[in-house]
């Protein structure tokens, strides 16, 4: 992955939606970024994109970014870098739920909660951490 690829990945994060094709394409770029730049850089760019989507109340984009991280985590849940980024992911999830709740976007809240439940079931994150996110977000 070159610097040009980095730019393409960042642009894909900025333009992502909750459509399957968009998530799939961005997932390919994310995996390339992981190999080239490492998890810290990739997740920093992802967190920035999530924060921007929440600030702009773009819930379809937020859902797309959460679907993206869901796909990455499910494919890589046993990798050594997952625990180091788990707190940041759960913080983003909590912020996304609160944002969607404040905008009365029940569909988005339902989808985000579903992702969290999947992570519980598949033991990607500890049950108590997921429950903490749900309770802090008021769901």
């Amino acid at each position: 992955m070159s610097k040009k690829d980095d730019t393409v990945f960042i642009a894909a994060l900025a333009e992502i939606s909750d459509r399957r094709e968009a998530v799939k394409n961005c997932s390919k770029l994310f995996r390339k970024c992981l190999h080239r730049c490492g998890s810290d850089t990739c997740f920093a760019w992802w967190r920035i994109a999530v924060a921007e989507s929440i600030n702009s109340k773009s819930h379809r984009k937020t859902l797309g970014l959460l679907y993206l991280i869901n796909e990455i985590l499910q494919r890589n849940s046993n990798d050594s870098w997952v625990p180091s980024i788990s707190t940041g992911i759960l913080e983003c999830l909590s912020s996304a739920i609160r944002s969607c709740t404040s905008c009365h976007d029940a569909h988005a809240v339902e989808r985000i909660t579903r992702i969290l439940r999947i992570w519980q079931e598949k033991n990607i994150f500890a049950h108590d951490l997921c429950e903490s996110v749900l309770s802090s977000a008021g769901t």
Side-chain angles (χ1 to χ4, degrees):
M1 191 167 174
S2 67
K3 288 288 186 188
K4 179 183 175 194
D5 292 331
D6 293 350
T7 304
V8 170
F9 173 59
I10 293 167
L13 288 173
E15 297 299 320
I16 198 168
S17 71
D18 60 349
R19 290 185 1 258
R20 183 185 319 242
E21 310 85 49
V23 173
K24 185 177 178 180
N25 291 336
C26 202
S27 176
K28 290 176 189 175
L29 294 169
F30 199 109
R31 287 192 301 275
K32 284 183 182 179
C33 180
L34 280 173
H35 293 292
R36 181 179 182 278
C37 302
S39 61
D40 290 343
T41 300
C42 292
F43 285 102
W45 288 335
W46 177 82
R47 286 184 73 175
I48 290 167
V50 171
E52 289 172 353
S53 72
I54 290 169
N55 289 337
S56 67
K57 307 289 188 211
S58 178
H59 297 145
R60 288 192 71 193
K61 180 177 175 181
T62 302
L63 282 173
L65 290 163
L66 295 175
Y67 292 158
L68 169 65
I69 205 64
N70 179 53
E71 183 170 321
I72 297 298
L73 286 173
Q74 289 199 45
R75 289 177 181 251
N76 301 287
S77 64
N78 294 323
D79 287 1
S80 60
W81 50 263
V82 171
S84 68
I85 51 95
S86 63
T87 301
I89 291 172
L90 292 174
E91 287 171 359
C92 288
L93 212 64
S94 181
S95 296
I97 292 171
R98 283 193 304 274
S99 173
C100 294
T101 301
S102 71
C103 292
H104 307 288
D105 189 339
H107 172 75
V109 171
E110 177 185 318
R111 299 324 243 153
I112 296 168
T113 302
R114 184 173 181 271
I115 292 169
L116 201 52
R117 296 287 183 213
I118 289 169
W119 292 348
Q120 280 180 314
E121 291 169 13
K122 295 190 178 210
N123 293 317
I124 293 172
F125 294 118
H127 182 80
D128 58 333
L129 286 175
C130 294
E131 287 300 321
S132 175
V133 169
L134 289 170
S135 66
S136 73
T139 58

